[in-house]
């Protein structure tokens, strides 16, 4: 068993990372370490396991046995408690230059237990332009024992000057059979349900696990994929858009409510609200109001991101639906992601042309672009729904 065993369908990437982890010991010992470098870029489609691969590589770098999977070093990395691992995941819509500079300062420290200090930067594509420039400077002149692991969907999502200084590891979409096997063996999911979830998620491991284990996720999927047959008029399109946006808002609120309350209470406590004693008062001390405003801004950005991610997930479900329709129209011998809805797919395939299906897919992708550009979600989704109707 090694830390790479849980990477689903990534044999080529695993081989590269295994060789590099072994070479890392040569670097420490004064050898050439030809397979090791100070900056890595993990890319791959959503759900391919970019972060999981980077975390497994971290364990292999810090483990005395190149990632055995059962020692204390491996265990601490995999649960996120290793002192030499700095794991960063932007919570809001972007990662600022201020946050990046603070991260660079922390990255300059020497390792305390392992051979390396590892900075695992998830969603590195969310760094602002100024943040990316600051990050470039850190990657160009890294401390001798610091390793940067950047994760992004595609190389083009990062500045060319950054990706040119990183060794790239490309992950692919796992096969349905591989994902279903993981669900059945690791999560004790019944085989039929495991295959359904793997097929519906199109290789997205986290999404497949949610569909297999959470009935609510399956219900939400059914609601989204039921939208096309309801779009019979303008009123129905507007209503469908309103439901979709409202559902995303509710999911964002549910995901952030408790967290926001805890963060706000903790910040107020730090700044002395409610404290008693000489020189203290029950209000926020100097500087507390500004810190509270900054926290509220971050919380709003996080809620907006969760809402946008929820909408994007729904839009990708619709893309898979029309992609299946297009496959049926062309008679392509491919696996249908939504095979459980074959009757609906067949009806729409017979009632429309491939050109109309492509136009609908384009409308969904345009909606995704508009949402990424901060267009009002209700307006963007309504325009899409109108373009999807027969």
């Amino acid at each position: 068993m090694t830390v790479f065993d849980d990477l689903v369908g990534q044999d080529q990437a695993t081989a590269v990372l295994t060789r590099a982890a072994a070479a890392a010991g040569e670097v420490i010992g004064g050898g050439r370490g030809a397979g090791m470098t100070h900056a890595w870029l993990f890319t791959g489609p959503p759900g391919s396991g970019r972060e999981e691969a980077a975390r497994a590589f971290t364990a292999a770098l810090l483990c005395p046995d190149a990632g055995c999977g059962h020692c204390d070093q491996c265990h601490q990395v995999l649960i996120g408690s290793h002192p030499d691992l700095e794991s960063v995941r932007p919570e809001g819509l972007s990662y600022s230059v201020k946050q990046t500079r603070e991260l660079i300062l922390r990255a300059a420290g020497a390792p305390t237990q392992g051979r390396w200090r590892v900075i695992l930067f998830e969603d590195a594509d969310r760094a602002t332009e100024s943040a990316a420039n600051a990050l470039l400077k850190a990657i160009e002149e890294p401390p001798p024992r610091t390793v940067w692991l950047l994760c992004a969907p595609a190389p083009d999502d990062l500045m060319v000057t950054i990706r040119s200084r990183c060794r790239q590891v490309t992950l692919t979409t796992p096969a349905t059979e591989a994902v279903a096997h993981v669900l059945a063996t690791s999560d004790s999911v019944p085989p039929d349900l495991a295959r359904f979830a793997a097929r519906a998620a199109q290789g997205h491991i986290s999404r497949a696990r949610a569909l297999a284990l959470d009935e609510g996720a399956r219900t939400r999927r059914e609601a989204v994929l039921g939208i096309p047959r309801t779009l019979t008029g303008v009123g129905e399109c507007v209503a469908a858009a309103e439901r979709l946006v409202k559902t995303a808002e509710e999911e964002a609120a549910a995901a952030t409510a408790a967290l926001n309350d805890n963060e706000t209470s903790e910040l107020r406590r730090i700044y002395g609200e409610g404290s008693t004693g000489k020189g203290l008062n029950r209000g926020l001390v100097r500087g507390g109001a500004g810190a509270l405003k900054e926290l509220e801004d971050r919380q709003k950005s996080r809620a907006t991101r969760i809402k946008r991610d929820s909408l994007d997930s729904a839009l990708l479900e619709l893309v898979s639906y029309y992609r299946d329709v297009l496959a049926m129209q062309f008679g392509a011998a491919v696996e249908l992601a939504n095979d459980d809805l074959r009757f609906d797919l067949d009806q729409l395939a017979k009632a429309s042309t491939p050109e109309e299906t492509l136009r609908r897919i384009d409308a969904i992708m345009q909606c995704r672009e508009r949402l990424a550009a901060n267009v009002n979600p209700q307006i963007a989704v309504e325009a899409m729904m109108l373009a999807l109707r027969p």
Side-chain angles (χ1 to χ4, degrees), residues 1 10 16 21 34 39 42 60-61 71 81 118 128 159 217 250 278 314 317 328 347 370:
M1 175 184 176
Q10 308 297 343
V16 170
F42 293 78
L61 290 176
C71 69
S81 64
V118 180
T128 63
M159 293 168 47
E250 290 173 348
K278 187 175 181 180
E317 293 278 14
M328 295 184 76
Q347 292 292 102
R370 288 171 174 171

Side-chain angles (χ1 to χ4, degrees), residues 27 37-39 103-111 115-117 119 137-148:
V27 176
T37 186
H38 67 283
L103 175 63
I104 292 170
L105 286 176
R106 297 195 299 272
R115 301 174 296 182
W116 304 93
R117 179 158 181 77
I119 312 300
K137 201 168 187 66
I139 291 178
E140 284 179 326
E141 303 172 2
R145 294 291 182 87
T146 297
V147 178
W148 288 87

Side-chain angles (χ1 to χ4, degrees), residues 82-377:
H82 199 291
D84 292 327
L85 169 62
E86 176 89 21
S87 186
V88 179
R89 186 174 191 273
E91 292 186 331
L93 296 174
S94 61
Y95 199 73
S96 69
V97 65
K98 177 183 177 182
Q99 292 172 304
T100 303
R101 286 170 178 162
E102 292 171 351
L103 175 63
I104 292 170
L105 286 176
R106 297 195 299 272
T112 59
Q113 289 185 10
R115 301 174 296 182
W116 304 93
R117 179 158 181 77
V118 180
I119 312 300
L120 199 173
F121 195 161
E122 302 180 23
D123 297 336
D125 53 305
R126 293 185 183 269
T128 63
E129 183 177 355
S130 53
N133 286 324
L135 181 61
L136 171 62
K137 201 168 187 66
I139 291 178
E140 284 179 326
E141 303 172 2
R145 294 291 182 87
T146 297
V147 178
W148 288 87
L149 308 181
L150 310 181
C151 301
D156 289 345
D157 291 328
L158 295 181
M159 293 168 47
V160 64
T161 46
I162 289 181
R163 65 176 186 262
S164 66
R165 286 162 174 80
C166 298
R167 184 172 181 187
Q168 294 185 28
V169 177
T170 303
L171 285 82
T172 59
T173 301
T176 297
E177 293 75 14
V179 177
H181 177 73
V182 170
L183 295 178
T185 56
S186 300
D187 300 287
S188 301
V189 177
D192 289 345
L193 179 57
R195 180 162 182 79
F196 155 77
R199 184 181 63 245
Q202 301 175 78
H204 193 304
I205 301 172
S206 298
R207 174 68 174 158
R209 183 168 281 115
L211 287 172
L213 302 177
D214 183 2
E215 186 176 353
R218 296 195 292 272
T219 301
R220 288 191 293 273
R221 170 183 174 272
E222 291 174 3
V224 171
L225 296 181
I227 287 175
R229 62 175 175 268
T230 69
L231 304 179
T232 57
V234 174
E236 288 76 10
C237 291
V238 173
E242 185 177 0
R243 287 196 305 273
L244 201 60
V245 173
K246 184 178 180 181
T247 298
E249 291 173 344
E250 290 173 348
E251 288 185 7
T256 59
L259 184 58
N260 289 352
D261 289 344
N262 290 337
E263 289 176 342
T264 302
S265 298
E266 178 64 16
L267 184 64
R268 288 183 177 277
R269 185 190 65 77
I270 291 173
Y271 277 91
E273 184 178 70
S275 301
T276 58
K278 187 175 181 180
L280 297 174
N281 57 62
R282 292 185 174 275
L284 291 176
V285 299
R286 184 184 302 274
L292 185 61
K293 177 64 169 61
E294 184 177 341
L295 174 62
E296 290 173 349
D297 290 341
R298 290 202 305 271
Q299 290 173 341
K300 289 178 181 177
S301 179
R302 179 171 60 200
T304 300
R305 177 187 172 181
I306 294 174
K307 175 183 174 181
R308 188 176 292 175
D309 287 348
S310 177
L311 275 174
D312 194 61
S313 178
L315 297 182
L316 289 176
E317 293 278 14
L318 287 173
V319 169
S320 76
Y321 184 93
Y322 287 107
R323 173 258 190 193
D324 286 349
V325 171
L326 190 64
M328 295 184 76
Q329 288 172 328
F330 281 114
V334 297
E335 181 181 61
L336 300 181
N338 305 289
D339 191 66
D340 53 312
L341 301 174
R342 180 175 286 272
F343 177 79
D344 290 344
L345 298 172
D346 184 59
Q347 292 292 102
L348 184 55
K350 292 176 179 177
S352 59
T353 65
E355 291 77 14
E356 291 172 322
T357 303
L358 285 171
R359 176 179 56 78
R360 288 170 177 142
I361 292 175
D362 287 342
I364 299 171
M365 300 306 292
Q366 185 179 49
C367 181
R368 295 183 69 209
E369 293 174 0
R370 288 171 174 171
L371 291 173
N374 291 320
V375 172
N376 181 285

